[in-house]
Amino acid sequence: MKPGKHQAYLSKISKENKMQLNVVKLGKIEYDEAFKLQQEIVKLRQESKIADTLLLLEHFPVITVGRSGDNDNIIVSEEFLEDNNVNLHYVNRGGDVTYHGPGQIVGYPIIDLNNHGKDLKLYVHKVEEVIIKLLKEEFNIHAYTKDMKYTGVWVDDNKITAIGVLMKRWVTMHGFAFNVNTNLDHFKWIIPCGIQDKGVVSLKSLLGNELDLNIMNDLVVKYFSDVFGYDDVKECSLDNIL
């Protein structure tokens, strides 16, 4: 976005005095490409050149290892990953080892916490609440959080949404991975989040049928906007914000 457009954009936001959220749906995208996009958008948000932004996407099969990750939690060999076209990335988010792949809704909220309590723990709690409310109100599924040791959203003793975040100058990146139609067999390649005595679950496995990801993305936007208090939500393309 050119400087003149940024100024007009910010003037409009200030005039309306609304909590605005940009939503960008990227479809399937490689992990490293999405990471570079996050970095660009974080910089723009830090400079107050754009409003809060939520990226929604799916990744091609990839294993990521967070700052507290342990390679021993990757059960399969590097050769196995290469043979199955599964990328491995060491990343700067919190948490241990996780898997991303088709059928999983990944959300990267890039938001300024100065407008949301300036509290990282509160932010993580609100992200968890988004999925908990969605599951309860749309599917009558009881989901819950354990504690800060085991972040994410759980159904019984199985994790349905993993959360790993990073904050730079009070602007967030990385985010959540919501298992909707995810192939759960792929989690056998790792010890998810380094937790050996817990499992993983998907919405598909709970309901017994595949979900429409377009509808599910819209539901994520609905509950995310509700929990975080956005009253002006705009779906846009990358060209509108970069």
Side-chain angles (χ1 to χ4, degrees), residues 135 139 141 160 178-180 202-207 211 216:
L135 291 174
F139 301 100
I141 292 173
I160 194 167
F178 177 22
N179 292 325
V180 180
S202 68
L203 191 53
K204 176 182 176 180
S205 67
L206 290 172
L207 298 176
L211 286 300
M216 291 304 303

Side-chain angles (χ1 to χ4, degrees), residues 148-167:
M148 287 305 295
K149 181 180 179 181
Y150 296 130
T151 59
V153 178
W154 301 76
V155 177
D156 295 325
D157 236 9
N158 300 304
K159 183 177 283 191
I160 194 167
T161 301
I163 296 174
V165 301
L166 176 69
M167 180 181 66

Side-chain angles (χ1 to χ4, degrees), residues 113-171:
L113 293 189
N114 283 294
N115 303 319
H116 297 278
K118 212 172 182 180
D119 184 328
L120 187 59
K121 288 184 179 180
L122 175 63
Y123 166 69
V124 171
H125 175 72
K126 283 187 172 183
V127 173
E128 293 168 333
E129 187 181 350
V130 170
I131 305 301
I132 290 171
K133 288 186 69 174
L134 187 160
L135 291 174
K136 177 61 178 177
E137 296 184 20
E138 300 294 333
F139 301 100
N140 198 29
I141 292 173
H142 173 68
Y144 65 99
T145 61
K146 286 184 176 290
D147 49 48
M148 287 305 295
K149 181 180 179 181
Y150 296 130
T151 59
V153 178
W154 301 76
V155 177
D156 295 325
D157 236 9
N158 300 304
K159 183 177 283 191
I160 194 167
T161 301
I163 296 174
V165 301
L166 176 69
M167 180 181 66
K168 295 182 176 181
R169 288 163 46 191
W170 291 108
V171 174

Side-chain angles (χ1 to χ4, degrees), residues 174-241:
H174 296 292
F176 61 89
F178 177 22
N179 292 325
V180 180
N181 298 323
T182 321
N183 186 340
L184 298 180
D185 285 340
H186 291 179
F187 284 96
K188 296 176 182 177
W189 303 339
I190 63 174
I191 300 173
C193 303
I195 306 172
Q196 298 197 35
D197 60 342
K198 311 296 180 188
V200 291
V201 72
S202 68
L203 191 53
K204 176 182 176 180
S205 67
L206 290 172
L207 298 176
N209 59 274
E210 191 161 299
L211 286 300
D212 185 319
L213 283 185
N214 291 322
I215 293 174
M216 291 304 303
N217 272 307
D218 288 342
L219 288 174
V220 169
V221 172
K222 172 185 175 182
Y223 286 94
F224 189 90
S225 303
D226 177 55
V227 170
F228 281 90
Y230 294 103
D231 47 22
D232 185 9
V233 180
K234 296 182 179 180
E235 185 172 339
C236 55
S237 68
L238 283 174
D239 290 339
N240 295 133
I241 59 175

